[in-house]
Amino acid sequence: MTAMRAMVLERPRTPLVLRERSVPAPGAGELVIAVSACGVCRTDLHVVDGELEHPKLPIVPGHEIVGRVAAVGQGVSGFTVGERVGVPWLGATCGVCPYCREGAENLCDAPVFTGYTRDGGFATHAVADARYCFPLGEDGDDAEIAPWLCAGLIGWRSLRLAGESETIGLYGFGAAAHILAQVLRWQGRRVMAFTRTGDTRAQDFARSLGADWAGDSDDIPPEPLDAAIIFAPVGALVPAALKAVRKGGRVVCGGIHMSDIPSFPYSILWEERQLRSVANLTREDAREFLALAPKAGVQCAVTRYPLAKANEALADLRHGRLEGAAVLVP
Ligand SMILES: [Zn+2]
Ligand SMILES: [Zn+2]
């Protein structure tokens, strides 16, 4: 059996370490994928930092996987060796809990998450449940497509929950927002981008992708927002966004983890403003977004890192030293 390399988290709050293993054989229903690119998501930082409880340990992080099918397990249909596929955060669901039966598999009671409760894509090879893998076709560069698998999908789900709004505020202009801004522009909606105070580089970047306005996160935008989506893991943005949305407007929290939300006066929630979170994704979200992104001409700005530099990529993401998305290329 051939060898593979993986960047492994052995304990939270310690650096990933490079390990060699043999490539596993696919179990029934599984694909073995030769990884060609894996995006680095803020959720990977939350796993590494121990902010998400009970990861499988040791764990290979990474849930924005683009690769080619290297082996097909028993009972898998619809995939062939050599085909390009993507693997997202949603690794598997139970199919029988009330949420799965109601079409809300993103809330499954017994889910499996790629790079959290099963090994992910910070590696040369990954194993995935074929039912949760997506064909990606041959158009586009592997590394530039990788961020679609989480930043793109979560952004898309967040937008669906934000509703048919005309003017949308995006708080935190990282990987997810830079993709979503392009989708919004393509849809003909208005985008207001909010960044860390004084981050003029990110604000210029947002305007270059079609934002109608860009400013600091505590600014009041030039027009009231119909909805706001918060991608930065900063609880203080919740009252800031509530103040910026119109009567009846929605604030959607797109992240899996956020610092505590400071208390705020009821008056900023009053007048039927709504606040909600987005959890995970459904396969339907993925199918919709993966079909739409090429039509919208979504182009990801990526910074590539060799696999062995995964810790550097995580540090650059943590400190906001990136424009767009970090992607590991084994
Ligand atoms: Zn379930
Ligand atoms: Zn993610």
Side-chain angles (χ1 to χ4, degrees), residues 194-218:
F194 299 81
T195 72
R196 295 181 211 217
T197 301
D199 190 349
T200 54
R201 205 178 71 150
Q203 291 165 12
D204 290 343
F205 182 52
R207 279 186 287 262
S208 77
L209 292 173
D212 297 275
W213 174 89
D216 297 343
S217 58
D218 53 356

Side-chain angles (χ1 to χ4, degrees), residues 41-44 63-64 89 150-151 154:
C41 171
R42 184 163 293 281
T43 299
D44 298 314
H63 56 273
E64 295 180 323
W89 169 251
C150 184
I154 293 295

